[in-house]
């Protein structure tokens, strides 16, 4: 149930962030109705000095209605400008990232909510005696002050986010949290022994979309009485078509219990329904989304139109650090939920797959740039030093692969000599345990 609620919120959070302040304006209108129309005494809360006359309140609210509408339009224009800048300077992927920030669309919602409050308050106040002191105008003033503070914070955040170094660092920080969680879960995970598997049953997708999440509560309830492990072979964020192979249900007995075996197809279909597929990716759980964003920023930076290799080098360094932390554990799977008899296991990419997915585009487009090629090799060197011993062979092979491509595409002997120096250093120090320990501690 929790996973479905999160899925619904993910699909509707933009409209929620935009309209949630409408509910606040409705609450304020209800307060105005009880205090100003029904003459509830509010002097116990506010001094009479803070209550405004009807005429002044009407004049103030009329002005605020126009201001809120104007500033909402200006804010929307500013957001579009930032989105255009992000798309052209970095990558279209960070546009959605900017929109998803609560303070962005919420700011438009604040001004829209203020506009509705101001306009509807005028309807409430139109028949009140002119000599009465009321609360409606005071609430409008407080709302305007809060809206202005929110606008100032929005401007400050936009100025900060428009700088590439801050954007890259924010992406890195979010990816680091996800990868640390992933690595910690991998270290704690243990599987059944291979020889205990009696029968393996394949599960297939019932729908089409991006693999968003798993409804673990229902899934665990379905298999809790089985002695089994459900091995999920698809990864969060992958696009899955209906009928595609999803997972293996590995039983320790020869077959399903008799009562389940009679309705085997229905039972397996219920399990497949627990795999939530969506039209968009789950960016809150998938660290690959952040890695891909860093890769795209680096690719855009080394493109001829922008030609900013230093930004690409910064991204490559952060990608390498993240992958090194990810490879610091031996396991490539997570035991997500367990009962006394059943386990749900999520398998991730192998070391070779992770390295290839992260670097193959960078190697292809940066192979002729000495600084980018050197940064890639230096990053792979760092990954090797941080990684667990079980991953070192794969990292070494990928280092050799990247080195050969870069070396062949260097235009001068001096560039080749520069690349060869890091390869010699890698060969000389790759088995130095003291260096590895020092890098891991840092």
């Amino acid at each position: 149930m929790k996973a479905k609620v999160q899925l619904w919120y993910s699909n509707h959070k933009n409209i929620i962030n935009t309209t949630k302040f409408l509910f606040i304006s409705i609450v304020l209108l209800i307060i105005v109705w009880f205090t100003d129309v029904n003459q509830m005494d509010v002097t116990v809360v506010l001094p009479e000095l803070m209550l405004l006359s009807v005429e002044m309140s009407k004049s103030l609210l009329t002005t605020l209605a126009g201001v809120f509408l104007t500033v909402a339009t200006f804010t929307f224009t500013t957001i579009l400008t930032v989105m255009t800048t992000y798309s052209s300077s970095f990558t279209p992927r960070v546009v959605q990232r900017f929109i998803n920030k609560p303070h962005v669309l919420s700011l438009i919602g604040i001004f829209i909510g203020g506009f509705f409050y101001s306009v509807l308050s005028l309807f409430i106040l139109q028949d009140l005696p002119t000599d009465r002191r009321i609360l409606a105008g005071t609430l409008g003033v407080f709302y305007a002050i809060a809206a202005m503070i929110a606008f100032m914070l929005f401007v400050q955040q936009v100025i900060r986010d428009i700088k590439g170094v801050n954007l890259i660092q924010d992406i890195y920080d979010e990816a680091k949290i996800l990868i640390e969680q992933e690595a910690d879960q991998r270290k704690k995970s243990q599987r059944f022994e291979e020889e205990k598997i009696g029968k393996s049953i394949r599960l297939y997708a019932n729908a089409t979309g991006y693999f968003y999440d798993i409804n673990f509560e229902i899934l665990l309830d379905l298999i809790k009485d089985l002695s089994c492990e459900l091995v999920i072979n698809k990864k969060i964020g992958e696009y899955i078509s209906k009928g595609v192979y999803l997972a293996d249900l590995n039983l320790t007995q020869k077959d399903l219990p008799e009562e389940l075996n009679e309705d085997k197809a229905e039972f397996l279909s219920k399990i497949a329904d627990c795999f939530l597929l969506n039209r968009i990716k789950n960016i809150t759980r998938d660290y690959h989304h952040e890695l891909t964003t860093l890769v795209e920023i680096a690719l855009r930076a080394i493109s001829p139109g922008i030609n900013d290799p230093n930004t690409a080098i910064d991204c490559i360094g952060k990608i390498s650090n993240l992958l090194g932390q990810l490879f610091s554990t031996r396991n490539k799977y997570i035991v997500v939920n367990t009962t006394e008899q059943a386990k749900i296991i999520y398998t991730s990419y192998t070391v070779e797959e992770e390295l290839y997915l992260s670097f193959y585009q960078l190697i292809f487009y940066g192979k002729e740039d000495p600084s980018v090629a050197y940064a890639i090799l230096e990053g792979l060197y760092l990954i090797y030093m941080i990684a667990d011993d079980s991953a070192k062979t794969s990292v070494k092979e990928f280092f050799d692969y990247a080195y050969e491509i870069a070396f062949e595409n260097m235009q001068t002997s001096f560039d080749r000599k520069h690349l060869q120096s890091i390869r010699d250093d890698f060969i000389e120090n790759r088995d130095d345990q003291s260096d590895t320990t020092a890098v891991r501690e840092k």
Side-chain angles (χ1 to χ4, degrees), residues 167-387:
L167 175 65
I168 294 171
Q169 185 62 41
D170 289 344
I171 296 171
Y172 170 79
D173 290 338
E174 292 185 15
K176 184 179 179 182
I177 293 172
L178 294 175
I179 283 179
E180 286 177 348
Q181 293 173 351
E182 175 92 5
D184 185 59
Q185 289 177 313
R186 289 184 183 185
K187 290 176 182 177
K188 297 176 181 178
S189 298
Q190 293 183 351
R191 292 186 57 175
F192 287 150
E193 297 295 333
E194 291 289 339
E195 57 268 18
K196 292 185 178 180
I197 297 176
K199 182 175 182 179
S200 182
I201 302 174
R202 284 196 166 193
L203 299 173
Y204 300 92
N206 289 340
T208 298
Y210 289 102
F211 186 9
Y212 186 87
D213 206 345
I214 303 167
N215 198 334
F216 288 110
E217 297 175 3
I218 298 177
L219 181 56
L220 199 61
D221 185 63
L222 287 171
I223 65 173
K224 63 182 180 181
D225 296 327
L226 298 176
S227 179
C228 67
E229 61 175 21
L230 180 64
V231 182
I232 302 166
N233 296 310
K234 290 295 182 181
K235 283 76 176 176
I236 298 292
E238 278 193 86
Y239 189 80
I240 298 173
S241 298
K242 186 176 181 179
V244 167
Y245 166 49
L246 277 180
D248 289 308
L249 182 62
N250 296 329
L251 306 172
T252 56
Q253 63 268 32
K254 293 184 178 180
D255 206 345
L256 292 169
E258 185 176 347
E259 63 273 13
L260 294 177
N261 203 32
E262 293 178 357
D263 298 318
K264 181 177 179 180
E266 182 180 354
F267 174 69
L268 297 179
S269 179
K270 288 181 179 179
I271 295 178
D273 285 337
C274 296
F275 291 78
L276 302 180
L277 306 181
N278 194 28
R279 57 186 176 83
I280 59 175
K281 294 183 178 183
N282 187 346
I283 62 177
T284 61
R285 283 194 56 200
D286 184 16
Y287 62 86
H288 285 100
H289 182 272
E290 312 300 336
L291 288 174
T292 302
T293 303
L294 289 174
V295 170
E296 290 179 352
I297 293 175
L299 292 174
R300 181 65 63 91
I302 60 178
S303 64
I306 296 180
N307 194 23
D308 181 16
N310 289 324
T311 296
I313 291 170
D314 186 20
C315 291
I316 291 169
K318 286 179 167 52
I319 292 169
S320 303
N321 202 321
L322 292 170
L323 290 179
Q325 295 177 56
L326 184 65
F327 298 154
S328 63
T329 175
R330 182 177 299 273
N331 295 335
K332 300 300 179 289
Y333 56 83
I334 298 173
V335 179
V336 187
N337 279 353
T338 63
T339 64
E340 292 182 359
Q341 302 182 81
K343 289 185 178 183
I344 301 174
I345 299 172
Y346 173 78
T347 60
S348 189
Y349 294 98
T350 64
V351 175
E352 295 88 342
E353 290 171 335
E354 291 279 12
L355 289 172
Y356 186 76
L357 289 172
S358 299
F359 283 106
Y360 78 98
Q361 294 180 82
L362 293 170
I363 292 173
F364 179 80
Y365 290 104
K367 60 189 176 183
E368 295 182 357
D369 188 319
S371 61
V372 175
Y374 187 88
I376 292 172
L377 295 177
E378 194 174 40
L380 292 171
Y381 190 178
L382 175 65
I383 293 172
Y384 182 89
M385 300 299 287
I386 303 176

